[in-house]
Amino acid sequence: AYKMAIEEPLKLDTLAERDQQLKKAQGVTDVSPMRLRMEKFAKEQQKAIVQALEEVDGTRFRVDEWQRKEGGGGITCVLQDGKVFEKAGVGVSVVYGTLPKPAILKMRANHKNIADENNIPDSLEFFAAGISLIVHPKNPMAPTVHLNYRYFETANPDGSSGAWWFGGGCDLTPSYLFEEDAVQFHRSLKDVCDKHDPGYYPRFKKWCDEYFYNKHRAEARGIGGIFFDDLDERVADREKLFAFAQDCLKSFVPTYVPIVHRRKDMPFTEKQKEWQQIRRGKYVEFNLVHDRGTAFGLNTPGARVESILMSLPLTATWKYMYEPEPGSEEAKLVDVLQHPREWV
Amino acid sequence: AYKMAIEEPLKLDTLAERDQQLKKAQGVTDVSPMRLRMEKFAKEQQKAIVQALEEVDGTRFRVDEWQRKEGGGGITCVLQDGKVFEKAGVGVSVVYGTLPKPAILKMRANHKNIADENNIPDSLEFFAAGISLIVHPKNPMAPTVHLNYRYFETANPDGSSGAWWFGGGCDLTPSYLFEEDAVQFHRSLKDVCDKHDPGYYPRFKKWCDEYFYNKHRAEARGIGGIFFDDLDERVADREKLFAFAQDCLKSFVPTYVPIVHRRKDMPFTEKQKEWQQIRRGKYVEFNLVHDRGTAFGLNTPGARVESILMSLPLTATWKYMYEPEPGSEEAKLVDVLQHPREWV
């Protein structure tokens, strides 16, 4: 052993290597670094959600485990052209990377403790882990849903934990508006939020309406939900915020699955299917033109593009100057997208 | 008349108003400002191209004439779900606007004469006129084509003409590669270029391969053509560059229409149609994520979004991890997109 140690000293130069070593030696427990706990929780929930959606559809997900050569990796689960779902993707990704100085300076705007103002390093290691989900059902009466919860942390030059924050949210995008669904969806998110802080839901609901705004169309992507970012020690301590993110994530299946069950076998016309396809086109526009998460993903070196763009629907349509008839169900949806409502 | 002149003095404060007045008084001739000549030529060619495509399809275009309340306007012609074309759009747009100081500073990188280094104004009036075209045929053997030719000019604070330049190009995007089409398309563009300058084609062909590169997919959008921008007095005088842009534009119908005639009635399988739909998805990705023209359009105040996004196909598909079989015709296309070729 002594000889080994001399000939092959342990090289734990990077955060990725240190975390890898720690996981092997001790597993992941409540006293592990938040990085490992978030990764573990995201992967557990991914399994649970995939199983729940498989039960609804009766079709198995394809599961791809992948490594990122720059550090990290992930698991991408996709169900395509199923009985209930046109496309459903549930992905976990873990990224170990390096922030260049311009990125550090940019992040300092929101996170002062990322680096000392008088001593900004040329680069910093960072960690990001998150779960992303998108479900596009076949039936135009069943809404698309999107969810993302993520944890971000930087390492100080000495290897200690630097700045950290949580972000995420969950939002609903119907082609046809069922107020019952909208109310139930928002109610469920509000209940989760209220358990942690009565100020969360109003703040994160508004943030969601603002974030998922398809600016060039002057309408929201969907009927909202919650969205938050940069939640750090200024908001609550790390354990509390982790508990909040966990509760949000765990609420997904009991919130969304009942909505799908109500809608998946409703009758629909060819014209209603076409309207869904037109709404899908707008969804693509938002994701590719405005979504910062997609842009961040596509710009990350070594990004797995198919895991990022699993969010795009199986099919979409663009019809020039398509306008719903005044007073129609289609027009009713557009009106809500143009004038976001308080649902609870 | 005297009374009128006192009570309602002519207000020709803006470039748009002065041009409007000039057009009314004198029409547009070879001695008119380039702004008016470019607009007139673009509109003439739009008519000619629309007529030629209507003859191929047997369907009429819808014609929308529109005004831009900030100055300018355009004509958008769209043929949707025709016999030969899934979607064809031919648009002319004329924009009179104001460049804020940051935009002036940015443009100075390429156009020193936009303003004196020591006396950069807070804003400058500008004019932009262009014709854009996109044709997505139904038959997967018939290639998509795109074209854009435009003229840009700034006004000095005293109203005189400031910096000016031409930009544009034309490129082909097949789902299946027919070398014969690729060679004929490039040959035709090279012939037009060579008539004006033997250096143009090699330079603009390379520029096209670089510009229409779908970076996150690590492949070209299509099999290229020509692309150029910022062509000003450093390249040739204004008359010569206008003549070049005119010849390029006039070459479109005789270049593309024979290709469509060869391909439009070829037999194809469902699987080949699906491949076309997957390629359409990549086309959407390029246009929404990378195309500077689309981004510029969507960010222009008062933009007519439906005229900009007429470039999107009628339908598109995204299949997770879809890979063509090695050695197949589909793989052959992807290989060419990954390794642009010299066709002539």
Side-chain angles (χ1 to χ4, degrees):
Chain A
Y2 176 70
K3 204 166 162 255
M4 279 277 297
I6 290 186
E7 282 176 13
E8 296 180 354
L10 279 173
K11 274 194 197 160
L12 299 176
D13 290 338
T14 67
L15 193 58
E17 286 161 347
R18 290 195 301 275
D19 277 358
Q20 208 49 41
Q21 182 70 10
L22 205 57
K23 248 194 283 190
K24 255 189 218 157
Q26 307 174 2
V28 181
T29 70
D30 284 356
V31 295
S32 299
M34 186 55 78
R35 297 183 299 280
L36 302 185
R37 293 166 68 196
M38 181 66 184
E39 177 182 343
K40 182 171 175 246
F41 183 71
K43 286 180 177 168
E44 284 166 6
Q45 284 301 303
Q46 181 183 37
K47 267 196 190 150
I49 292 170
V50 161
Q51 204 188 321
L53 295 175
E54 283 179 343
E55 271 170 33
V56 174
D57 196 278
T59 310
R60 300 299 297 268
F61 277 70
R62 163 179 175 167
V63 179
D64 289 331
E65 203 163 343
W66 47 276
Q67 299 296 317
R68 191 173 160 271
K69 76 173 193 305
E70 295 85 351
I75 303 170
T76 301
C77 304
V78 175
L79 188 168
Q80 197 166 270
D81 207 9
K83 294 183 193 73
V84 175
F85 303 120
E86 185 188 284
K87 203 179 196 178
V90 191
V92 166
S93 75
V94 176
V95 174
Y96 288 88
T98 305
L99 294 173
K101 194 161 187 165
I104 299 169
L105 289 167
K106 212 171 154 190
M107 284 181 177
R108 266 203 100 252
N110 278 319
H111 305 279
K112 296 295 172 213
N113 56 350
I114 199 170
D116 185 326
E117 188 177 7
N118 302 309
N119 188 18
I120 297 186
D122 286 333
S123 70
L124 277 180
E125 283 190 278
F126 77 91
F127 166 91
I131 178 167
S132 288
L133 165 155
I134 201 144
V135 181
H136 296 290
K138 288 193 152 173
N139 193 308
M141 303 302 153
T144 286
V145 72
H146 161 256
L147 156 168
N148 169 258
Y149 294 101
R150 58 193 177 274
Y151 173 71
F152 192 93
E153 188 182 303
T154 59
N156 293 320
D158 67 5
S160 63
S161 180
W164 58 266
W165 62 90
F166 289 91
C170 184
D171 62 285
L172 202 68
T173 305
S175 297
Y176 287 92
L177 181 67
F178 292 91
E179 303 209 355
E180 174 192 2
D181 298 350
V183 170
Q184 186 219 308
F185 185 79
H186 277 269
R187 163 69 57 203
S188 160
L189 290 171
K190 183 173 186 299
D191 287 347
V192 174
C193 288
D194 286 354
K195 258 181 64 188
H196 293 265
D197 189 320
Y200 280 177
Y201 176 77
R203 189 175 150 210
F204 300 159
K205 192 270 183 195
K206 186 163 172 273
W207 204 339
C208 187
D209 287 339
E210 286 163 5
Y211 182 86
F212 291 104
Y213 187 64
N214 210 351
K215 200 181 156 203
H216 66 278
R217 294 289 185 185
E219 64 183 29
R221 183 174 78 171
I223 58 162
I226 57 168
F227 178 88
F228 54 86
D229 203 358
D230 298 319
L231 298 197
D232 60 14
E233 66 283 343
R234 294 168 303 176
V235 178
D237 72 37
R238 184 147 56 175
E239 286 304 323
K240 282 191 177 146
L241 288 172
F242 183 42
F244 172 58
Q246 286 178 299
D247 280 351
C248 285
L249 190 43
K250 282 189 283 192
S251 79
F252 170 73
V253 168
T255 301
Y256 181 65
V257 167
I259 296 176
V260 173
H261 274 299
R262 277 204 293 279
R263 306 298 163 213
K264 70 185 175 64
D265 299 316
M266 284 181 71
F268 60 88
T269 65
E270 208 173 298
K271 193 125 193 263
Q272 288 167 330
K273 184 70 189 171
E274 184 187 53
W275 173 246
Q276 179 202 51
Q277 293 297 301
I278 286 165
R279 297 308 314 167
R280 296 263 201 266
K282 308 281 201 289
Y283 204 90
V284 171
E285 288 176 28
F286 177 84
N287 287 21
L288 296 183
V289 177
H290 300 295
D291 186 47
R292 292 197 300 266
T294 301
F296 177 81
L298 293 180
N299 286 318
T300 300
R304 189 172 188 264
V305 172
E306 284 290 309
S307 295
I308 298 163
L309 296 184
M310 72 176 185
S311 64
L312 300 179
L314 190 61
T315 52
T317 286
W318 284 269
K319 300 213 162 195
Y320 176 69
M321 296 295 279
Y322 190 96
E323 293 284 347
E325 281 172 43
S328 64
E329 284 300 307
E330 292 80 10
K332 199 173 117 192
L333 176 82
V334 172
D335 183 64
V336 168
L337 300 180
Q338 288 169 347
H339 309 98
R341 271 194 229 166
E342 293 304 324
W343 295 103
V344 285
Chain B
Y2 176 69
K3 205 166 164 254
M4 279 276 297
I6 289 184
E7 283 175 14
E8 297 180 356
L10 280 173
K11 275 197 196 157
L12 298 176
D13 290 337
T14 67
L15 193 57
E17 286 161 347
R18 290 196 301 275
D19 277 356
Q20 210 48 43
Q21 182 71 10
L22 205 56
K23 247 195 284 191
K24 254 189 218 156
Q26 306 174 2
V28 180
T29 69
D30 284 355
V31 296
S32 299
M34 185 56 76
R35 299 183 297 281
L36 302 185
R37 292 166 67 195
M38 181 66 184
E39 178 182 343
K40 182 170 177 247
F41 182 70
K43 286 180 176 167
E44 284 166 6
Q45 285 300 304
Q46 182 184 35
K47 267 195 189 150
I49 292 170
V50 161
Q51 203 188 323
L53 295 176
E54 283 179 343
E55 271 169 33
V56 173
D57 195 279
T59 311
R60 301 297 298 266
F61 277 68
R62 163 178 176 168
V63 179
D64 288 332
E65 203 163 343
W66 46 277
Q67 300 295 317
R68 191 172 161 274
K69 76 174 194 305
E70 295 85 352
I75 303 170
T76 301
C77 304
V78 174
L79 187 168
Q80 197 166 270
D81 209 9
K83 294 182 194 75
V84 174
F85 303 119
E86 185 188 285
K87 202 175 192 181
V90 191
V92 166
S93 74
V94 176
V95 174
Y96 287 88
T98 305
L99 293 174
K101 193 161 186 166
I104 299 169
L105 288 167
K106 211 171 153 191
M107 284 181 178
R108 265 204 100 250
N110 278 320
H111 305 279
K112 296 295 170 213
N113 56 351
I114 200 170
D116 185 326
E117 188 176 9
N118 301 309
N119 189 18
I120 297 186
D122 286 335
S123 70
L124 277 180
E125 284 191 278
F126 77 90
F127 167 90
I131 177 167
S132 288
L133 165 155
I134 202 144
V135 181
H136 295 291
K138 290 194 151 173
N139 192 307
M141 303 301 153
T144 287
V145 72
H146 161 257
L147 155 168
N148 169 257
Y149 293 101
R150 58 195 178 273
Y151 173 72
F152 192 93
E153 188 182 304
T154 60
N156 292 321
D158 66 6
S160 63
S161 180
W164 59 265
W165 61 90
F166 289 91
C170 185
D171 63 283
L172 202 68
T173 304
S175 297
Y176 287 93
L177 180 67
F178 293 92
E179 302 208 356
E180 173 192 5
D181 298 351
V183 170
Q184 186 219 306
F185 186 78
H186 277 270
R187 162 69 55 203
S188 159
L189 290 171
K190 183 172 186 300
D191 287 347
V192 174
C193 287
D194 286 354
K195 257 180 66 189
H196 293 265
D197 189 320
Y200 280 176
Y201 176 77
R203 190 174 149 210
F204 300 159
K205 192 271 182 193
K206 186 162 172 275
W207 204 339
C208 188
D209 287 338
E210 286 162 5
Y211 182 86
F212 291 104
Y213 186 65
N214 210 349
K215 199 180 155 204
H216 66 278
R217 294 289 186 183
E219 64 183 31
R221 183 174 79 172
I223 57 162
I226 57 169
F227 179 87
F228 54 86
D229 203 358
D230 298 321
L231 298 198
D232 61 12
E233 65 284 344
R234 294 166 304 176
V235 178
D237 73 36
R238 183 148 56 176
E239 286 304 323
K240 281 191 178 148
L241 288 172
F242 184 42
F244 172 58
Q246 286 178 300
D247 280 351
C248 285
L249 190 43
K250 282 188 283 189
S251 78
F252 170 73
V253 169
T255 300
Y256 182 65
V257 167
I259 295 176
V260 173
H261 274 299
R262 276 204 293 277
R263 306 297 162 214
K264 73 185 174 64
D265 299 316
M266 283 180 74
F268 60 87
T269 65
E270 210 174 295
K271 193 124 193 263
Q272 288 168 329
K273 185 71 188 171
E274 185 187 54
W275 174 245
Q276 179 202 51
Q277 293 297 299
I278 286 164
R279 296 309 314 167
R280 296 264 202 266
K282 309 282 199 289
Y283 205 89
V284 170
E285 288 176 29
F286 178 84
N287 287 22
L288 297 183
V289 177
H290 300 294
D291 186 48
R292 293 198 300 266
T294 302
F296 177 83
L298 294 179
N299 287 316
T300 300
R304 188 172 190 263
V305 172
E306 285 290 312
S307 295
I308 297 163
L309 296 184
M310 73 176 184
S311 65
L312 300 180
L314 189 61
T315 53
T317 285
W318 284 269
K319 300 214 162 194
Y320 176 68
M321 296 295 279
Y322 189 96
E323 292 285 346
E325 281 172 45
S328 65
E329 284 299 308
E330 292 79 9
K332 199 173 118 190
L333 176 82
V334 173
D335 183 66
V336 168
L337 300 179
Q338 289 169 346
H339 309 99
R341 270 195 230 165
E342 294 303 325
W343 295 103
V344 287

